[in-house]
Amino acid sequence: MAPTDDYSMVVARFPTAETMQYKVVGTGVWHDGSYTYTVPEPGRAVLDATQTDTGQPITYSLGLRCSDNTSGNYRYSIGDSPEPSGEHTATYLFQNMRP
């Protein structure tokens, strides 16, 4: 899915096997967290994470639809939020990938 005005570009990096950092392009702010990663089927992945750089940790889940090994789009849900909708969709690009 190509980014449009309705979508954001997110850059993520993985300093260790259990930690991640991400930022929405244009904000200049990196967010820290921890994560687990599963692949329920080819071309799909689930990243369950906790953002830890806030006063209260924020737990969220990303359902990734992969275009290739480093990019694609995802839908996210936070805590008890309702079912993801269009405004919960963004493009991702992984940096510093580890096997």
Side-chain angles (χ1 to χ4, degrees):
M1 174 186 321
T4 69
D5 291 339
D6 296 328
Y7 295 94
S8 299
M9 175 65 83
V10 174
V11 177
R13 59 188 180 194
F14 300 87
T16 71
E18 295 86 26
T19 63
M20 67 178 285
Q21 297 175 317
Y22 76 90
K23 73 175 174 178
V24 176
V25 173
T27 65
V29 178
W30 286 97
H31 297 283
D32 298 315
S34 59
Y35 75 97
T36 60
Y37 181 81
T38 57
V39 180
E41 63 183 69
R44 303 268 182 194
V46 176
L47 192 147
D48 290 311
T50 301
Q51 184 175 329
T52 57
D53 62 352
T54 56
Q56 285 266 12
I58 300 169
T59 302
Y60 59 95
S61 182
L62 307 175
L64 287 73
R65 184 172 65 194
C66 309
S67 298
D68 55 36
N69 287 337
T70 60
S71 65
N73 61 63
Y74 67 83
R75 290 184 171 259
Y76 66 93
S77 57
I78 300 172
D80 296 332
S81 69
E83 184 67 26
S85 63
E87 60 269 11
H88 291 102
T89 303
T91 300
Y92 71 85
L93 172 64
F94 289 127
Q95 291 183 331
N96 302 328
M97 289 203 45
R98 300 180 190 279

